[in-house]
Amino acid sequence: MQQQKKEIILLNISGEDKAGLTASLTQILSLYNVQILDIGQATIHDDLALGILFEVPQESESSPILKDLLFKSYEMGVNVKFTPISEERYNGWVNHQGKDRYILTLLARKLTAEHLAQTTSIIAEQGLNIDLITRLTGRTPLDGDVNKSKAVVELSVRGTPKDIDKMKSDFVKISGDTGVDIAFQVDNIFRRNRRLVCFDMDSTLIQTEVIDELAERAGVGNEVRAITEDAMQGKLDFKESFIKRVSLLKGLDESVMKEIAENLPLTEGAERLMKTLNRYGYRTAILSGGFTYFGNYLKGKLGVDYVFANDLEIKDGKLTGRHLGEIVDGQKKAELLKLLAFKEDLHLDQVIAVGDGSNDLPMLQLAGLGIAFHAKPKVKEKARHAISTIGLDGILYLLGFRDREMMVD
């Protein structure tokens, strides 16, 4: 005896969103004891798009169900469309389960059609399918300040990229050409369970290089800035440059450090980021080639859990031009990150590292999510992810947070 074919129907509803619409339609389906195979709903500016894929019981006919749905849709002033789906097509869709999944996040001050067109074209070229597009930021006012606005969308995609290296290279080119940051992450359990965030301090958490500020007060600003820039560009060994710069600070009064600390310019989004991370139980650390004195000040101000940096030697209220203990350079930062992950009983894939200079690369490459933040070109090139368009709170979007889930500054 030939098995009866299953009747599968895709119901699409579109129109003005109204309270009780989904309830009314699903109540009709419940009267006929249908099985829901898939369902999805999205609302854009009060315009609803609802899709329900259902199987008609073999003992029933579809015509009464469709008639009742049609009448109810007409009564509620929305459009309805019915599409029969073959068993073969449905089974093919089911068999796609288990394919690799990725999260692609677009971050910009203002999102344009060009950003989406170029990005989604690359996704299509790579044979990936978009399952879901979600806006993470609030709605953008038409007359808002573009320098303070944020526009972030998240795309959930499925499949296996044909050439992942080329795809990432294409994303980097789009980012450079159009001014949008593009993050491409594997959608796995670690992506949804990051628990430790390690920050560089100077030019990352704060918008200055503290050693340059100290040097200005000591009257050696130009000399120290030149050495700092060479070190950040990777042209000079960090330890060597550190010793040279610190030696130039000899004789500076200790009181200057307090004055500088109290006026440190926080990076855009730093307070919002830290309040949100603290609220949701993340552990945070400053791993800095700068100075412990300023790291501890930020620890108190922002609620940071750990601070590892360099100690300046002070005698009789004056800087001696020497440091105390081991220098925290790039390799030391990576070692400290591993140590903190072990202490917190975390897998390295659960750790986020954020920095802007070449001495941050070891920890950026070690962490599950390494982010080059407003970084030097060489650092952006070597890091897996970069944020260059918006503030530090952009990190929260890479974790899947929406604006409404974040703490206010």
Side-chain angles (χ1 to χ4, degrees):
M1 181 177 178
Q2 186 176 6
Q3 186 176 6
Q4 184 177 348
K5 287 222 172 212
K6 299 182 185 298
E7 189 172 11
I8 300 169
I9 297 172
L10 174 61
L11 164 67
N12 289 110
I13 298 290
S14 61
E16 184 183 353
D17 189 22
K18 298 177 181 178
L21 176 59
T22 303
S24 297
L25 296 173
T26 53
Q27 282 169 7
I28 291 173
L29 293 174
S30 71
L31 295 175
Y32 294 95
N33 197 32
V34 307
Q35 179 183 357
I36 303 296
L37 301 175
D38 195 13
I39 185 168
Q41 178 174 315
T43 304
I44 301 177
H45 289 279
D46 297 326
D47 191 54
L48 172 76
L50 169 65
I52 302 176
L53 187 68
F54 64 91
E55 179 190 354
V56 178
Q58 290 193 356
E59 66 274 10
S60 302
E61 293 185 1
S62 61
S63 54
I65 304 175
L66 304 188
K67 181 184 72 174
D68 288 352
L69 289 170
L70 188 62
F71 284 155
K72 177 56 69 174
S73 300
Y74 178 79
E75 180 184 305
M76 300 196 76
V78 294
N79 302 313
V80 62
K81 178 184 176 184
F82 304 110
T83 306
I85 303 296
S86 68
E87 277 191 62
E88 293 76 18
R89 184 178 173 190
Y90 178 76
N91 288 332
W93 174 76
V94 171
N95 291 334
H96 270 79
Q97 295 181 119
K99 295 282 186 181
D100 295 335
R101 291 184 177 273
Y102 302 91
I103 295 293
L104 190 146
T105 312
L106 277 68
L107 309 94
R109 291 293 183 187
K110 184 178 181 181
L111 195 64
T112 69
E114 183 182 13
H115 294 152
L116 284 170
Q118 291 198 31
T119 305
T120 54
S121 293
I122 290 171
I123 292 171
E125 288 170 8
Q126 291 291 332
L128 301 173
N129 292 321
I130 301 172
D131 287 335
L132 183 66
I133 300 177
T134 306
R135 174 174 47 84
L136 301 182
T137 44
R139 293 171 182 169
T140 306
L142 293 176
D143 56 353
D145 184 351
V146 72
N147 294 316
K148 295 181 179 178
S149 66
K150 292 185 288 288
V152 181
V153 296
E154 178 183 279
L155 286 71
S156 175
V157 301
R158 172 173 38 86
T160 302
K162 296 175 182 176
D163 186 340
I164 195 165
D165 290 333
K166 182 181 184 303
M167 179 185 68
K168 290 181 177 180
S169 176
D170 289 342
F171 286 152
V172 169
K173 185 176 187 308
I174 291 174
S175 180
D177 291 346
T178 68
V180 62
D181 293 322
I182 304 172
F184 187 78
Q185 304 178 67
V186 177
D187 188 13
N188 57 22
I189 188 64
F190 294 120
R191 188 252 170 183
R192 299 185 294 275
N193 195 31
R194 317 270 193 209
R195 303 311 304 161
L196 170 65
V197 191
C198 297
F199 297 94
D200 173 46
M201 181 172 64
D202 298 61
S203 298
T204 299
L205 271 178
I206 55 176
Q207 292 179 302
T208 188
E209 293 286 330
V210 168
I211 197 164
D212 291 346
E213 298 285 339
L214 292 169
E216 283 294 330
R217 305 302 200 282
V220 291
N222 290 337
E223 296 96 312
V224 167
R225 268 194 300 273
I227 299 171
T228 298
E229 186 59 28
D230 284 346
M232 296 301 287
Q233 295 286 355
K235 298 176 182 176
L236 192 64
D237 173 75
F238 180 82
K239 287 184 178 180
E240 180 186 356
S241 71
F242 179 84
I243 293 169
K244 283 184 177 181
R245 288 177 291 176
V246 169
S247 69
L248 293 170
L249 302 179
K250 183 177 180 180
L252 187 64
D253 196 280
E254 181 183 7
S255 63
V256 173
M257 297 173 69
K258 183 175 186 295
E259 177 195 337
I260 292 174
E262 291 174 348
N263 293 281
L264 288 175
L266 292 177
T267 298
E268 177 196 349
E271 289 188 278
R272 187 188 199 202
L273 169 65
M274 298 305 296
K275 285 178 182 178
T276 303
L277 293 176
N278 291 336
R279 171 66 178 82
Y280 290 100
Y282 287 77
R283 303 291 278 176
T284 56
I286 291 174
L287 307 182
S288 174
F291 305 116
T292 306
Y293 183 94
F294 303 96
N296 284 335
Y297 179 84
L298 292 174
K299 179 180 180 181
K301 185 177 179 67
L302 298 175
V304 177
D305 295 299
Y306 302 101
V307 173
F308 294 92
N310 298 296
D311 291 315
L312 291 170
E313 183 182 64
I314 301 172
K315 288 185 178 179
D316 300 323
K318 304 283 186 181
L319 274 63
T320 67
R322 295 187 294 271
H323 70 281
L324 301 172
E326 186 178 358
I327 295 174
V328 177
D329 61 359
Q331 198 53 48
K332 186 64 177 177
K333 288 185 181 187
E335 291 172 11
L336 289 166
L337 184 146
K338 286 167 94 173
L339 179 66
L340 288 174
F342 178 77
K343 176 178 170 55
E344 294 291 338
D345 195 23
L346 298 173
H347 192 284
L348 284 174
D349 279 335
Q350 294 177 270
V351 181
I352 301 168
V354 190
D356 71 299
S358 59
N359 66 323
D360 296 312
L361 277 172
M363 73 171 182
L364 297 186
Q365 293 169 343
L366 183 64
L369 178 61
I371 303 168
F373 180 75
H374 288 258
K376 312 299 184 290
K378 179 181 176 182
V379 180
K380 284 181 65 175
E381 181 184 329
K382 292 187 177 181
R384 291 192 296 270
H385 303 282
I387 294 178
S388 301
T389 58
I390 62 176
L392 268 178
D393 51 348
I395 294 167
L396 295 169
Y397 301 119
L398 299 192
L399 300 177
F401 280 85
R402 301 170 188 242
D403 272 353
R404 64 174 178 264
E405 298 162 337
M406 300 182 194
M407 306 296 288
V408 296
D409 284 349

